[in-house]
Amino acid sequence: MNASSTPARHVCVLGAGIVGLAAAWQLRREGFEVTVVDRAHAGTGASAANGAQLSYAYVQPLADPGIWRQLPKLLLAPDSPLKLRLQADPHQWAWGLQFLAACRASVSRRTTGSLLALAAESRAGFEQLRAETDIECDFSATGKLVLYQDEASFASARQQMALQRELGSVQHALSPAECVAIEPALAGYAPRFAGAIHTPSECAADCHKVCLELLRLLLAQGVRFAFDTPVTGLKRSGDRIVAAQTPRGPIEADAFVVALGTASHPLARMLGLRVPVYPLKGYSLTVDVKETSAAPKVNVTDAARKVVFARLGQRMRVAGMAELAGDNTHIPGDRIDSLRASARALFPDASDYDELRPWAGLRPATPTGLPVLGQLPGGPGNLWFNTGHGALGFTLAFGSAQRLAALLRAQPA
């Protein structure tokens, strides 16, 4: 643990996904006493089987001007990788209107810059964790290829690449043949895409394994955990939260960090606060690699299908899609069939695709794509939020933890 002049304050972190555990790790490093509370266990929810890619240098906010021309398909097409299913839910409508308002070039540019800066801090934080500990998480640093189906989408991607280059990212626009030279497993798919953006520095890891390793390390450092313990409310006294209310009794602390993903919104609403987070449902399947040479070593994203591929040791994670359809994790068979079809199209011989391990999770998305990090106007003085990372929770977790710890460190004891 680092030496610190921080007073011995007790912080209660609500949520044991990758965002909450990374926050607990950083806070403990800086001398805080920490308790972590979760309704399930470490690394469940959106951290359990996500896309596994760490997109530190390639960011494409979902709130983009290109969404407007896709709206009819989003609302009507049954096989669209992006789905919007309108419900009688004022929160969904308010979020959706804010999202459409954010689909402007100026907003997308600002969001890209902010996310890249936070991602750079997060890369440094995760690298520090790996350098100082012996965690096992199927980490790889083989780069990423984002494939574009037609010339129009490829041209738009090159514009985004130019913006990211201005912000310090190192990327290259490649032909299909050049992609195959980097990732030979794409040879059979080369005639079916126009080009790709290559980011050599990108990484991948098993987020669930990282969560379990953080749990092991934090337990060894004296961090307390309350699992299978849902937070039913926050007890407020004046300008402070004095306890998190649970079926097992109150949990008291000096400060509270809400890292509950999509559950952050209803908890904040109990206090009259608004957290603009809505569930963005995604799916994944994990298969064992049958033929090593036929499976990708480089991270691959098929932009048209909205599907990502990441190699995790002798497994391959296939993940994608985004549905704004409420708070449910039901897995329709057609969505997994679609992921399997995508995997077979790109990497037909990588696996036999018979034994699938399907999963669905709810990414906590904000309208702009920027996470909610810090205190809320009108909120209690000792209540902090660390939520709304969308599909970039794993990527941004350690940078968010560092910023959060700095905010808490600066607060008078």
Side-chain angles (χ1 to χ4, degrees):
M1 188 188 309
N2 289 351
S4 173
S5 59
T6 303
R9 288 184 288 165
H10 181 196
V11 181
C12 182
V13 177
L14 309 181
I18 186 61
V19 171
L21 290 170
W25 169 256
Q26 188 65 32
L27 289 167
R28 189 70 193 106
R29 280 178 57 86
E30 300 197 18
F32 291 91
E33 181 185 352
V34 180
T35 297
V36 180
V37 185
D38 196 276
R39 63 184 176 186
H41 204 272
T44 56
S47 299
N50 57 28
Q53 293 189 1
L54 292 162
S55 297
Y56 294 128
Y58 185 90
V59 173
Q60 178 66 65
L62 186 61
D64 181 84
I67 285 290
W68 289 101
R69 65 176 179 271
Q70 301 177 44
L71 269 183
K73 185 176 181 180
L74 297 182
L75 291 168
L76 302 172
D79 60 345
S80 171
L82 292 172
K83 280 189 177 182
L84 173 58
R85 295 294 177 258
L86 297 178
Q87 301 175 337
D89 178 2
H91 177 45
Q92 185 198 52
W93 283 77
W95 189 97
L97 290 172
Q98 284 186 294
F99 171 76
L100 291 175
C103 292
R104 307 195 310 273
S106 59
V107 176
S108 181
R109 182 183 179 91
R110 287 197 303 272
T111 299
T112 297
S114 297
L115 291 176
L116 286 174
L118 183 54
E121 296 170 31
S122 200
R123 181 199 291 271
F126 190 36
E127 287 179 349
Q128 184 177 40
L129 169 68
R130 291 176 41 249
E132 294 179 357
T133 67
D134 58 347
I135 68 167
E136 167 52 46
C137 59
D138 293 321
F139 177 82
S140 63
T142 54
K144 177 164 72 172
L145 288 165
V146 182
L147 314 182
Y148 293 91
Q149 192 173 50
D150 52 55
E151 187 52 47
S153 60
F154 189 31
S156 176
R158 292 195 297 270
Q159 291 180 344
Q160 179 72 5
M161 181 187 72
L163 166 60
Q164 292 179 157
R165 276 184 171 177
E166 293 176 13
L167 298 170
S169 295
V170 177
Q171 296 168 330
H172 311 282
L174 303 181
S175 68
E178 291 171 321
C179 292
V180 172
I182 291 172
E183 180 47 77
L186 283 169
Y189 194 67
R192 300 172 63 180
F193 66 95
I197 302 299
H198 180 223
T199 311
S201 62
E202 299 294 60
C203 309
D206 187 324
C207 184
H208 186 247
K209 286 188 176 183
V210 174
C211 289
L212 295 182
E213 293 283 72
L214 283 171
L215 171 62
R216 174 179 65 84
L217 295 168
L218 289 167
L219 284 170
Q221 294 183 6
V223 172
R224 295 187 293 274
F225 286 86
F227 289 133
D228 300 312
T229 306
V231 176
T232 57
L234 296 172
K235 184 178 179 181
R236 183 170 184 169
S237 177
D239 186 43
R240 298 184 65 77
I241 299 297
V242 295
Q245 296 171 323
T246 81
R248 299 184 178 186
I251 298 176
E252 298 179 348
D254 300 313
F256 295 82
V257 174
V258 179
L260 290 170
T262 58
S264 303
H265 168 75
L267 186 68
R269 189 171 55 189
M270 294 179 189
L271 297 171
L273 304 174
R274 185 174 179 277
V275 175
V277 169
Y278 191 82
L280 192 63
K281 187 178 181 181
Y283 301 88
S284 80
L285 57 87
T286 306
V287 298
D288 293 326
V289 171
K290 179 185 71 175
E291 178 56 52
T292 301
S293 63
K297 292 183 176 63
V298 174
N299 295 322
V300 174
T301 297
D302 188 325
R305 300 171 189 264
K306 297 290 190 292
V307 175
V308 303
F309 303 84
R311 183 71 169 273
L312 299 172
Q314 286 304 110
R315 299 170 296 145
M316 182 171 69
R317 177 69 48 77
V318 185
M321 307 179 196
E323 297 179 0
L324 275 80
D327 189 6
N328 76 84
T329 54
H330 170 65
I331 305 177
D334 64 328
R335 300 309 259 173
I336 297 303
D337 289 343
S338 177
L339 286 178
R340 175 164 50 185
S342 296
R344 280 179 165 158
L346 271 73
F347 308 109
D349 299 319
S351 173
D352 56 21
Y353 298 108
D354 290 334
E355 184 181 339
L356 307 176
R357 296 185 282 281
W359 171 86
L362 303 176
R363 313 176 188 108
T366 64
T368 62
L370 289 174
V372 179
L373 187 56
Q375 295 179 309
L376 295 183
N382 66 335
L383 182 64
W384 307 80
F385 287 83
N386 186 12
T387 188
H389 298 76
L392 294 174
F394 191 16
T395 297
L396 302 177
F398 291 90
S400 298
Q402 291 175 343
R403 291 192 182 184
L404 178 75
L407 291 170
L408 280 161
R409 196 170 59 240
Q411 189 181 50

